[in-house]
Amino acid sequence: MRALIQRVSRASVAIEGGATASIGKGYAILLGIGEDDTEEHAEKLWSKISKMRIFEDENGKTNVSLADVRGDVLIVSQFTLYADCKRGNRPSFAKAAAPDEANRLYEYFTDLARKDVDHVETGSFGAMMNVELVNEGPFTIWLDTDSL
């Protein structure tokens, strides 16, 4: 499982030109599900993300967690995090999970976040979405459960 986490002052997602979900200060998480991922991977990844201390304390040091700032979370499914660009110019997405399983694990990950965070918004799995955010810092973290 892979996640691109951005510390944001605000973020939103418009789904197929219609409904919009938005958050204030917190994390925008682009989440990719791989073909071998399981609920255990989702739990491991969320545990790491939820405990990260990447907000600044009163001394300007990144020493404060999402819970400490009472931050929000926006989670958007992103199968393209599994792009393989080794051959040719057209990425392969063969290592991404099948849609039904990816959606199940995306929902599971979102449920984990909702247990810890008061305000969690999501995109719509498989839909065309426009994501807007203000990356605070900028501060961006790449996590892959194969490396945790």
Side-chain angles (χ1 to χ4, degrees):
M1 197 166 283
R2 295 176 177 168
L4 184 74
I5 301 109
Q6 296 186 68
R7 186 180 74 186
V8 300
S9 54
R10 68 179 183 276
S12 65
V13 59
I15 303 161
E16 294 184 355
T20 300
S22 63
I23 64 165
K25 183 176 188 160
Y27 295 157
I29 302 172
L30 303 179
L31 183 68
I33 314 293
E35 62 186 349
D36 296 325
D37 286 333
T38 64
E39 290 178 358
E40 182 179 311
H41 290 105
E43 292 162 5
K44 185 177 189 179
L45 184 60
W46 175 249
S47 179
K48 177 61 88 172
I49 291 170
S50 68
K51 294 174 185 160
M52 282 192 316
R53 296 181 304 165
I54 63 172
F55 290 95
E56 293 180 356
D57 64 16
E58 63 278 354
N59 299 315
K61 302 286 185 191
T62 52
N63 200 29
V64 178
S65 73
L66 182 69
D68 293 333
V69 298
R70 300 177 56 93
D72 302 336
V73 173
L74 173 66
I75 305 168
V76 177
S77 63
Q78 187 81 38
F79 77 94
T80 61
L81 293 179
Y82 276 88
D84 181 349
C85 300
K86 290 179 185 170
R87 299 168 114 161
N89 295 316
R90 184 175 182 271
S92 167
F93 301 103
K95 293 184 180 176
D100 287 346
E101 181 63 4
N103 187 34
R104 185 185 75 77
L105 288 171
Y106 170 73
E107 294 295 334
Y108 183 75
F109 182 88
T110 298
D111 289 343
L112 293 172
R114 286 192 169 121
K115 289 178 183 174
D116 294 333
V117 178
D118 289 336
H119 185 205
V120 176
E121 296 286 349
T122 65
S124 179
F125 186 88
M128 176 59 80
M129 296 174 277
N130 292 320
V131 179
E132 293 185 4
L133 57 90
V134 176
N135 187 327
E136 189 177 88
F139 210 110
T140 302
I141 303 275
W142 167 260
L143 294 177
D144 187 322
T145 52
D146 289 343
S147 304
L148 295 179

